[in-house]
Amino acid sequence: MPEIFQVDAFTDQPYSGNPAGVCLLSAPAETDWMRNVAAEMNLSETAFVYPEKGQFRLRWFTPQVEVELCGHATLATAHVLWETGAVGGKTCEFLTLSGLLAATRTDGGIELDFPALPPREADPPDMIAAALDVDPVWAGLSRHDWLIEVDSPDTVRRLNPDFAKLRELDVRGVIVTASGDGKPHDFVSRFFAPGAGINEDPVTGSAHCVLGPYWQGKMGKSRFNAWQASPRGGGMTVTVHGDRVLLQGNAITMMRGQWLR
C-alpha cells in the first residue's frame, strides 16, 4: 500500500503555510484513482510521485482537477523524499506537465527551480473588479491566471471575494498583489481559484512564477522576500533568473500513514 503524507509547505511553523498531500508510489497509478485520493484528502493539492529513469515522475491534483504546475506540493514532495531517504543527494529532478523541475537542499530550506511566467498587460473582465470590490492599479494575464495589482497591502489583506463570480472566469485563478513595506516583505499577495476547486490557496508557489517577473519589472531587482497574506499565511524567497524563477522555502511533515484503498 502506498504511503501518504500531509506536509505544511512554505512555512517553518506547524499549522501555517499551505498543506499538501504527498503520495509515494512505486509505479504509475490510474488517473481516476489519483483524482479520488485527492478528493478524499480535500487539500488544495495532492502530489503523486514515483521513480522514473533516475528521476521522479510528479503529478498534482486539486480535489477536482489535475493541474500543470504546483509549487507548494512540489516543495512538500521534495521534503518527503529527503526525509524518508528516498533521495540522498542535494538535488532531485521531477518530470512534470510543465517540463523538468528541480529541487535543491540549501542552508535556507529547499529551493525550487521553476519556469518564469511573466504576465502581459490586459484589460480584465468587469467581473474581476466586481468580485474583488477593488479598482486595479494594473492588470495582466499570465499562462494560467489573471494578475491584479491593488493600492496597498491592507487592501490585499481585507479582500473578501465573491467566489461565485470568480468561478465564471476561464482561467485557473486570480492573483492579487501589492508592494510591501520592504521590512521584511517586498510584496504581498493572495490567490483565488474557485474554478479549480480552491476558493483561496494559502501559499501558492506557481503564482510567484508570475509575481517574481512582474515585480522585477517594477522594482528593478531580482530577489524578493514575498508573503502570501492568506489566513494561514506563508512566505518564500523569490529569485528571478532570466526565464526561470527560484522559490526557496521550508516544510514540516504533519501526518504520515498508509493508503488502504
Side-chain angles (χ1 to χ4, degrees):
M1 296 295 181
E3 281 195 285
I4 195 154
F5 301 75
Q6 184 167 318
V7 177
D8 286 350
F10 289 120
T11 184
D12 57 5
Q13 299 294 322
Y15 309 108
S16 61
N18 199 352
V22 178
C23 186
L24 299 185
L25 303 171
S26 58
E30 294 292 332
T31 296
D32 285 346
W33 178 83
M34 289 188 283
R35 285 198 187 100
N36 286 336
V37 172
E40 188 81 5
M41 291 293 289
N42 198 31
L43 300 168
S44 56
E45 268 91 9
T46 297
F48 299 84
V49 62
Y50 59 88
E52 184 176 304
K53 298 178 181 178
Q55 298 165 316
F56 291 91
R57 176 66 60 179
L58 179 60
R59 296 173 70 178
W60 312 278
F61 290 80
T62 77
Q64 293 185 10
V65 298
E66 184 173 10
V67 296
E68 291 186 19
L69 186 66
C70 180
H72 84 282
T74 304
L75 180 69
T77 300
H79 167 79
V80 167
L81 291 174
W82 276 305
E83 189 173 69
T84 59
V87 173
K90 286 189 175 182
T91 299
C92 60
E93 295 182 330
F94 299 108
L95 304 168
T96 78
L97 290 177
S98 290
L100 182 66
L101 306 178
T104 302
R105 297 181 80 172
T106 70
D107 292 339
I110 295 173
E111 184 176 79
L112 305 178
D113 183 345
F114 269 34
L117 301 172
R120 66 181 188 277
E121 190 168 11
D123 293 327
D126 291 340
M127 75 174 70
I128 291 183
L132 298 174
D133 192 23
V134 297
D135 293 319
V137 172
W138 188 93
L141 190 62
S142 72
R143 178 177 174 181
H144 304 294
D145 310 302
W146 280 98
L147 175 65
I148 305 294
E149 183 189 351
V150 296
D151 59 353
S152 73
D154 287 341
T155 298
V156 174
R157 291 186 172 94
R158 288 197 304 264
L159 289 172
N160 185 22
D162 183 332
F163 294 119
K165 284 188 173 71
L166 293 181
R167 196 172 290 114
E168 297 173 17
L169 296 170
D170 59 355
V171 295
R172 182 184 68 162
V174 177
I175 308 162
V176 185
T177 188
S179 61
D181 58 12
K183 297 179 181 179
H185 305 121
D186 295 295
F187 62 83
V188 301
S189 67
R190 289 172 70 185
F191 181 67
F192 309 106
I198 310 161
N199 280 349
E200 179 165 8
D201 194 40
V203 193
T204 315
S206 60
H208 288 77
C209 297
V210 182
L211 289 160
Y214 176 71
W215 286 111
Q216 180 188 45
K218 294 205 71 170
M219 295 184 179
K221 63 179 188 175
S222 298
R223 186 174 175 85
F224 306 92
N225 187 359
W227 182 257
Q228 193 154 330
S230 67
R232 286 178 66 97
M236 69 190 79
T237 302
V238 180
T239 306
V240 184
H241 277 304
D243 63 354
R244 307 298 294 179
V245 175
L246 305 180
L247 309 173
Q248 181 174 286
N250 293 285
I252 302 171
T253 300
M254 301 296 290
M255 183 173 66
R256 177 176 184 172
Q258 279 191 320
W259 202 262
L260 301 180
R261 298 290 183 269

